[in-house]
Amino acid sequence: MSEGMPGAVLEAMALGTCVIARDIPGNAHLIQDNVTGLLFRSSSEFIVKASELIDDETMQMNLQRNAQKYVAEHHTLEAERTHYVELFTTLAW
């Protein structure tokens, strides 16, 4: 977890919710486009991706499964604790 990491996106992924998010650094750090969620750059691209997702149940299941797996492997409580200890140790020196 970092200050630029969107907590709502991380929580949604952990719960197995399909995430469609604007392609900005915080979101792009968490979401691998078309693997763990969908990223868009424009309103028209959002409409296309949202429509595809609504119509494709296989895509929905794959994004949900991949997102939950990513969070379980990379954002466990222990991993977050370790990150914060390293961050605070760096700041203390």
Side-chain angles (χ1 to χ4, degrees):
M1 193 70 141
S2 66
E3 184 157 342
M5 185 181 301
V9 170
L10 186 61
E11 291 170 7
M13 291 171 67
L15 292 171
T17 302
C18 292
V19 175
I20 304 176
R22 184 166 294 279
D23 190 358
I24 58 173
N27 293 335
H29 176 76
L30 291 175
I31 299 169
Q32 184 179 356
D33 195 28
N34 294 308
V35 177
T36 58
L38 301 174
L39 296 170
F40 67 91
R41 291 187 176 91
S42 67
S43 299
S44 59
E45 187 178 13
F46 170 79
I47 292 168
V48 169
K49 289 192 172 202
S51 296
E52 290 173 353
L53 183 60
I54 289 168
D55 293 337
D56 190 339
E57 288 185 29
T58 301
M59 177 191 283
Q60 293 169 22
M61 289 186 296
N62 288 336
L63 292 175
Q64 291 166 339
R65 182 183 60 247
N66 293 340
Q68 284 184 308
K69 181 179 179 193
Y70 169 80
V71 173
E73 290 176 356
H74 299 282
H75 294 279
T76 62
L77 183 59
E78 182 61 28
E80 297 302 325
R81 184 194 70 76
T82 299
H83 172 76
Y84 277 110
V85 167
E86 291 171 358
L87 175 65
F88 292 139
T89 300
T90 302
L91 294 174
W93 297 105

